[in-house]
Amino acid sequence: MRGASIEERLSRARVSGRATAVGAKEFRSLLARIVAGDAIALRGIPAFAGVTDDEVVVAVRATFGASAVRPEIDVAATLRGAGDAAAALAAVGARGGSVVAATARPASLLGLQRALASFGARSGAHRVVLDDSPELVLDGRRGRRLRWVDGVACVTDGESLLATADPAAADELLFSVPRPDLVVADGPFALAATAAGLPVVATVGLEDAALAVAARRSGAVTVVPVDPTGPPAAYEPLLEHLEALASTAASDDHGAPALAHQPT
């Protein structure tokens, strides 16, 4: 009896597939507000000049495999995004560039961001890691800092790793690090890096649909679509997928990683 495929496991874990669906009415409203340049819908990304309803729909379908009538992440889009992310990381590594990784959801995505950053390092990229930041006021609380855990920047109060929705956390990160060749991040870190015009691998869900338009308009943005709220074990199939891609790259006789998604 065959084991479950990566696609099946991701769907069962609600990383992608029907379990990640949002309300169709809510999603249609989000897409319309992106077209209208609504700041909340854009989540800090500058409004897209001349964007149309059709462009947003096409971008969301291409990036997330979602539509206004089927607002859910397609598991094939998740794996395709992971393959594209691996290719972007390998390209940075091939030229010895720098990678900065950060997560606003360490209880969910720390392991995945660590794996992506590690892929870059194994490809030859330099992982940027700094000391703790100065004390910050984030999410209305004092005594917060940025701390690098296994090469990934997170918010901490000195005792626990904390989720954040505060753009100030991303502002501190981008102020502190030398301009990186690639940012691997989620939440406000990914959005701020995109707004700053940096190359980004963004691990995000449908609430950040504006990044699909950014990806369509700029080859610098790569989206790995996932539900960003699951337990760490939910993302293990993606970690295995990245490991398989790394092994393929390492064994390529010509040194050029073959990073397109392989069927499972």
Side-chain angles (χ1 to χ4, degrees):
M1 185 176 185
R2 73 172 182 87
S5 68
I6 287 180
E7 288 88 346
E8 289 168 337
R9 292 166 60 200
L10 289 171
S11 295
R12 290 175 186 173
R14 302 186 179 186
V15 171
S16 48
R18 294 186 62 83
T20 64
V22 299
K25 182 177 180 180
E26 176 188 359
F27 194 59
R28 285 195 297 271
S29 174
L30 173 62
L31 301 185
R33 288 186 288 119
I34 290 171
V35 174
D38 178 75
I40 294 176
L42 290 166
R43 296 169 67 83
I45 299 175
F48 301 106
V51 70
T52 64
D53 292 330
D54 286 345
E55 181 181 357
V56 172
V57 168
V58 169
V60 167
R61 183 182 298 116
T63 301
F64 292 95
S67 69
V69 296
R70 185 178 175 271
E72 58 194 52
I73 296 171
D74 191 316
V75 66
T78 298
L79 290 174
R80 184 171 59 249
D84 291 344
L89 285 157
V92 171
R95 62 178 187 270
S98 60
V99 173
V100 172
T103 180
R105 293 181 178 272
S108 294
L109 297 179
L110 176 58
L112 180 55
Q113 304 298 24
R114 178 175 55 201
L116 287 165
S118 295
F119 187 103
R122 291 166 66 177
S123 300
H126 167 63
R127 293 172 67 174
V128 178
V129 178
L130 302 179
D131 294 332
D132 286 5
S133 73
E135 280 199 7
L136 305 167
V137 178
L138 298 176
D139 303 292
R141 300 297 185 107
R142 296 184 179 276
R144 301 316 198 223
R145 299 178 186 273
L146 292 184
R147 174 170 293 173
W148 271 256
V149 179
D150 292 336
V152 181
C154 311
V155 173
T156 181
D157 60 1
E159 296 182 355
S160 304
L161 299 181
L162 305 170
T164 183
D166 197 330
D171 292 342
E172 175 63 26
L173 175 71
L174 297 182
F175 174 79
S176 300
V177 300
R179 184 178 179 88
D181 294 293
L182 186 64
V183 176
V184 176
D186 52 75
F189 296 109
L191 292 158
T194 299
L198 294 170
V200 182
V201 168
T203 310
V204 296
L206 288 172
E207 67 276 9
D208 290 321
L211 281 169
V213 183
R216 180 175 174 81
R217 289 198 169 193
S218 169
V221 179
T222 301
V223 176
V224 184
V226 297
D227 184 309
T229 63
Y235 307 95
E236 286 180 2
L238 275 182
L239 273 59
E240 295 171 14
H241 185 55
L242 287 168
E243 184 61 31
L245 293 172
S247 297
T248 300
S251 63
D252 180 26
D253 292 339
H254 302 288
L259 295 174
H261 167 55
Q262 302 296 318
T264 55

